[in-house]
Amino acid sequence: MIKVSENTPSNSLYFKQINGFRTILFFAIIIYHFCFHYFGNESNGFVPDISIVWACFFFLSGYFLKIKNTKAYWEGKIVRTIIPFWISVLFIWLVSKIADKAYCISIKDMLYNCILFPVFTSTPFVDGAHWFVMQLIYFHILFWIVIKCDSVIYKLSKRRDTEHVFVRWAILLYGLISVLLSYISSDSRFVILLNCIFKPRLVFICFGFLSNPKLKNIQTKVQQFVILIVIFFYFIRYQNFINYIYFITLLFLVRLIMLSKIGLLEHKVFQLLGTYSLYIYLVHQTIGYIIISHSPNVVLGIVLAFVYSICAGLIFGVTYNKLIKSRLIANH
């Protein structure tokens, strides 16, 4: 039986450095959200867009996907991602409803957020930053379907050399089709349906998965090269060539981290914030905007929003891990 998991030894140096790297990435996103929202984009064409940061997050999400048990796979996703996401949706909706209804969506739309409707429709987000988590969860669903298909093919073929071949090709084709579809402008219902299924941003998760060191063979190397070219066309379609160069540079930095070359990232502050980065990310944007809009001046508001994001995220993460996550994992 083919199994899937994303567990990584927490004591490995490269995992600690990746954990610290997450701290830098989410700080960049929070600063961008609060400062860009009020001061505008000052990019001169040579400054990378924030898309480089979330692209790197997607890459890391794919990189740490590993093939193990489908049951453990969903247990991990539900406990580590989906339940915290649902809690944050309800929390943000309640706070915005009480503090500033200008940021509050209807209860129907809030429930739609819980089942990922904004990924496929124009349904508003409870928190604008949640698009990332929703697409990540959506990819987990797609990946699970691919794994199940791969398991059936493997059992039918009864050949060891077919194991996981379908997974690699399916992930490659998904990334390829997703980006190619973005170049097609059509009102055809079929094309619209395909656009609901294939999400161009997920090409970075596909690339991350194919970069997993456990998929070592010539075929996978060719697939990595092909999808890197596809990513080039993604940047040309949505950003620019400069961003592609920045992305390649960032991959080189990630490679150094994988080789445990940046010891500073192992500092306990980086480890603390990196460990709870998802929780901080989940609750920061909308309530941060509310804090800024109700502050005497923008600068003070940004500082308060930043402090809120860190404190609320840490409280959320620590409380959830102790009261819910640890018990759910212990029961399984």
Side-chain angles (χ1 to χ4, degrees):
M1 178 179 179
I2 292 176
K3 300 187 170 186
V4 180
S5 177
E6 57 181 347
N7 295 327
T8 304
S10 60
N11 60 346
S12 64
L13 288 177
Y14 85 89
F15 182 76
K16 285 186 176 180
Q17 293 192 11
I18 284 294
N19 201 37
F21 186 49
R22 287 194 183 101
T23 299
I24 296 175
L25 292 177
F26 89 74
F27 261 99
I29 287 178
I30 292 177
I31 291 171
Y32 172 82
H33 281 161
F34 293 155
C35 294
F36 172 79
H37 189 74
Y38 291 94
F39 297 118
N41 187 0
E42 301 298 330
S43 175
N44 58 12
F46 293 96
V47 178
D49 188 87
I50 195 63
S51 61
I52 303 300
V53 177
W54 58 251
C56 190
F57 264 127
F58 271 146
F59 173 84
L60 292 175
S61 297
Y63 184 88
F64 287 107
L65 278 176
K66 295 182 181 178
I67 298 180
K68 268 193 174 176
N69 178 314
T70 51
K71 182 180 179 182
Y73 172 79
W74 275 119
E75 288 173 352
K77 294 296 179 291
I78 291 171
V79 173
R80 293 181 174 86
T81 306
I82 296 177
I83 293 179
F85 167 67
W86 285 340
I87 292 173
S88 69
V89 166
L90 180 60
F91 170 69
I92 293 168
W93 184 79
L94 287 172
V95 171
S96 59
K97 189 173 182 62
I98 295 170
D100 192 334
K101 292 186 178 180
Y103 290 90
C104 185
I105 63 176
S106 69
I107 187 170
K108 181 180 74 173
D109 287 339
M110 184 271 288
L111 294 174
Y112 280 164
N113 272 245
C114 293
I115 56 175
L116 313 184
F117 255 52
V119 173
F120 312 104
T121 67
S122 57
T123 302
F125 292 96
V126 166
D127 189 297
H130 283 183
W131 74 265
F132 174 89
V133 182
M134 289 189 190
Q135 291 213 10
L136 186 61
I137 295 172
Y138 174 61
F139 183 84
H140 292 332
I141 295 171
L142 293 175
F143 192 73
W144 176 76
I145 294 172
V146 168
I147 291 296
K148 297 296 287 184
C149 292
D150 186 65
S151 178
V152 172
I153 293 171
Y154 175 64
K155 289 177 181 178
L156 291 176
S157 64
K158 297 180 180 180
R159 291 178 58 190
R160 294 296 302 175
D161 59 355
T162 62
E163 188 174 15
H164 313 326
V165 170
F166 176 78
V167 176
R168 295 198 302 269
W169 280 106
I171 295 302
L172 173 66
L173 288 174
Y174 183 87
L176 177 61
I177 294 172
S178 296
V179 174
L180 289 179
L181 272 175
S182 68
Y183 280 86
I184 300 175
S185 297
S186 173
D187 294 328
S188 165
R189 290 184 179 180
F190 180 66
V191 173
I192 292 173
L193 175 62
L194 288 178
N195 284 325
C196 286
I197 298 172
F198 294 91
K199 303 296 179 182
R201 288 168 168 172
L202 297 182
V203 69
F204 297 100
I205 305 184
C206 298
F207 183 46
F209 174 74
L210 291 174
S211 299
N212 192 307
K214 291 196 174 181
L215 300 175
K216 290 182 179 179
N217 55 50
I218 297 298
Q219 187 184 70
T220 305
K221 292 294 182 182
V222 173
Q223 291 170 335
Q224 290 175 18
F225 178 73
V226 170
I227 207 163
L228 195 55
I229 294 175
V230 172
I231 287 174
F232 167 79
F233 284 101
Y234 171 89
F235 279 112
I236 295 302
R237 174 72 174 84
Y238 290 103
Q239 276 96 41
N240 52 54
F241 179 71
I242 293 297
N243 273 355
Y244 182 72
I245 297 301
Y246 274 111
F247 179 69
I248 297 299
T249 304
L250 203 56
L251 289 181
F252 177 72
L253 176 60
V254 170
R255 180 59 180 167
L256 290 179
I257 292 172
M258 295 297 181
L259 296 174
S260 303
K261 298 295 184 181
I262 308 179
L264 176 64
L265 295 176
E266 297 172 35
H267 191 279
K268 60 183 180 181
V269 173
F270 283 102
Q271 292 304 300
L272 174 67
L273 296 177
T275 298
Y276 297 105
S277 58
L278 173 64
Y279 304 95
I280 298 171
Y281 181 86
L282 283 172
V283 299
H284 82 276
Q285 185 169 307
T286 293
I287 297 178
Y289 287 169
I290 292 174
I291 292 172
I292 295 171
S293 65
H294 287 270
S295 297
N297 63 74
V298 172
V299 174
L300 175 61
I302 290 175
V303 172
L304 292 175
F306 194 90
V307 172
Y308 150 77
S309 299
I310 302 299
C311 294
L314 289 176
I315 293 172
F316 177 23
V318 171
T319 303
Y320 177 78
N321 285 353
K322 287 187 175 181
L323 298 183
I324 301 176
K325 181 179 175 180
S326 59
R327 293 183 182 182
L328 290 175
I329 293 177
N331 290 334
H332 294 83

